[in-house]
Amino acid sequence: MKDYNVAIVGATGLVGREFIKILVQRHFPMASIRLLASGRSAGRKLSVSDREIEVEETTPDSFRGVDIALFSAGAEISRHFSPIAARAGTVVVDNSSAFRMDATVPLVVPEVNPEDIRLHRVNPIRRIIVDTYQAVSGTGTAAVEELRTQARQVLEGQSTIPHVYPHQIAFNTLPQIDVFLDNGYSKEERKMVEETRKIMHADDIAISATCVRVPVLVGHSEAIHVEFSQSMPVDEAQRILSRAPGVRLLDDTSISLYPQPWSAAGTDDVFVGRIRQDASHPNGLAMWVVADNLRKGAALNTIQIAEEMIKRDWVKPEGGQEK
C-alpha cells in the first residue's frame, strides 16, 4: 500500500481544520502531513490524530517532496501557489473558486463525475430554479463569530454593528451573497448557474438562482425546482436518489421527516426530502436538499477527489513511501 506526503494550504481556517479531521477519520494513506497558512498563523500548533504539528508559512518552497496539496485558503492564494505546487510535481486539489470556470480544470463532485447526475441521466433536465439558504460558515471564521456576537447582543437588548455582512445577520436573512452584477443577480448566483452547467456537462440547461445568507452556523439548504424532458413520478425520483452514493433520503411528511441543517452538521451525506410534483409544471419536481457546507460542501469533497485519484493510480508518491 502506498502512502503519500500531504500538505494542507489554509490549515487554520474552518475548511482546513475539517481537512485534518476527515483525513484522520478516513485513514487517508499519509506518510506525512504539512500544515501551511499565512505568516500570521505560522508557529501555531494543530492536533493531527495524537500529534501536535506546527503550522508553517506558505512559500514557494513549501511543496518540495509533497505528493498531494489540498487548498482551502481562498482564490487569491490558490491562483498564486497552485501553479507553483504543480511545477514542483504536486497534485493539487483546490477547494477555492479560483479555477472553477477554467475550461482546462475539471470541476469534480466524486459521486457525480465522471458520470452525470443521476436524475439527469435518466430524464434530461431542461430547467432548474434554485433558492439557497447558506450558513455563515461559508464566509469564514469572522462571520461565525459575528453571528454569535450579534445573537447575544440582540437577546440582551443591545444594538449591533455589522462588519462582515452589510446588515445584521442575527435573526435576519440577507438575499445577497457576494457583489451584485449589472443584471441584478449576485456573483454567487452566477456561479451557481455556471458551475451547475459545468458539473453536469450541459451548457443548455436554463437555470435561475437566488442565494440567501441565513443565521445558521453550519449547513447549506436549497429549495430546488427541476423541469425534466418528460414527467417523472415522485416514487421513481425517490428510488433513484435513495440508491445514489452519498445521498440520504429523508422524506416522510406524515412524521415531519425532512432534511435540516442542524442535524446535517457534522455528517458526510447530502440529505434530500420533500420530493413532490411541481404544481406549476407537468414535468417538474420540487425538493429540499441540505448538506454540511464545511464537510461535504468543501473538505470531504476535496479529499474524496484525492482518494479517487489515488484509486486510479494517478498520484505517484515520489516524496511518500510504499509499505
Side-chain angles (χ1 to χ4, degrees):
M1 180 180 178
K2 298 174 182 177
D3 281 352
Y4 301 83
N5 288 340
V6 176
I8 297 176
V9 181
T12 58
L14 290 175
V15 176
R17 294 199 292 270
E18 285 295 319
F19 277 155
I20 296 171
K21 187 188 305 181
I22 295 171
L23 286 169
V24 173
Q25 289 173 344
R26 294 173 73 88
H27 304 289
F28 193 89
M30 294 187 294
S32 68
I33 184 168
R34 180 173 295 171
L35 306 182
L36 304 173
S38 67
R40 297 189 307 274
S41 298
R44 290 178 56 183
K45 291 187 177 181
L46 298 178
S47 295
V48 181
S49 191
D50 57 351
R51 296 176 294 161
E52 292 288 316
I53 296 181
E54 186 171 308
V55 176
E56 306 171 34
E57 182 177 2
T58 311
T59 71
D61 295 327
S62 296
F63 305 97
R64 291 179 181 174
V66 172
D67 301 308
I68 301 172
L70 309 175
F71 276 70
S72 67
E76 184 177 345
I77 298 297
S78 291
R79 276 191 287 265
H80 179 72
F81 283 107
S82 289
I84 294 173
R87 286 194 295 270
T90 302
V91 173
V92 174
V93 187
D94 180 28
N95 181 63
S96 81
S97 62
F99 305 103
R100 286 183 185 174
M101 300 320 302
D102 187 326
T104 65
V105 178
L107 186 57
V108 179
V109 178
E111 293 91 349
V112 177
N113 304 39
E115 301 174 8
D116 288 331
I117 281 180
R118 300 309 187 273
L119 295 180
H120 180 61
R121 191 175 66 222
V122 174
N123 190 348
I125 294 171
R126 291 184 173 178
R127 183 171 184 251
I128 300 172
I129 305 296
V130 58
D131 302 311
T132 72
Y133 306 87
Q134 299 180 216
V136 296
S137 55
T139 306
T141 303
V144 171
E145 291 307 313
E146 180 155 292
L147 172 57
R148 286 174 170 158
T149 298
Q150 289 182 354
R152 184 176 64 252
Q153 290 172 333
V154 171
L155 290 173
E156 293 175 354
Q158 303 175 16
S159 60
T160 66
I161 301 176
H163 297 287
V164 177
Y165 298 120
H167 304 285
Q168 174 184 309
I169 185 60
F171 306 98
N172 198 16
T173 60
L174 305 178
Q176 175 186 355
I177 299 180
D178 215 319
V179 298
F180 287 111
L181 307 174
D182 292 340
N183 62 1
Y185 284 87
S186 69
K187 191 175 179 181
E188 177 75 5
E189 291 159 354
R190 184 182 69 183
K191 283 166 52 182
M192 287 279 299
V193 172
E194 294 175 345
E195 291 172 9
T196 301
R197 288 172 175 163
K198 184 175 180 181
I199 291 170
M200 297 175 67
H201 312 293
D203 294 337
D204 57 344
I205 293 180
I207 305 173
S208 181
T210 300
C211 296
V212 183
R213 189 71 70 188
V214 295
V216 171
L217 291 176
V218 176
H220 286 357
S221 305
E222 296 185 354
I224 305 174
H225 296 255
V226 183
E227 177 191 335
F228 295 94
S229 299
Q230 302 174 22
S231 63
M232 174 175 284
V234 169
D235 58 356
E236 181 182 358
Q238 291 173 326
R239 176 177 54 79
I240 293 169
L241 290 170
S242 66
R243 296 176 179 176
V247 174
R248 191 185 304 180
L249 194 66
L250 296 179
D251 198 1
D252 188 347
T253 55
S254 68
I255 56 172
S256 298
L257 180 64
Y258 39 71
Q260 303 169 64
W262 180 261
S263 55
T267 65
D268 294 341
D269 290 327
V270 175
F271 297 87
V272 183
R274 294 210 60 204
I275 302 175
R276 59 202 186 278
Q277 296 293 153
D278 189 326
S280 69
H281 199 285
N283 294 350
L285 287 178
M287 63 191 74
W288 177 252
V289 179
V290 177
D292 183 322
N293 56 294
L294 295 180
R295 288 184 69 89
K296 182 54 196 163
L300 175 63
N301 190 73
T302 304
I303 291 169
Q304 286 177 315
I305 294 170
E307 290 173 338
E308 184 65 24
M309 290 191 295
I310 289 172
K311 180 180 176 181
R312 299 183 183 211
D313 201 28
W314 290 353
V315 184
K316 306 301 179 183
E318 297 178 4
Q321 61 187 16
E322 189 167 345
K323 63 181 181 180

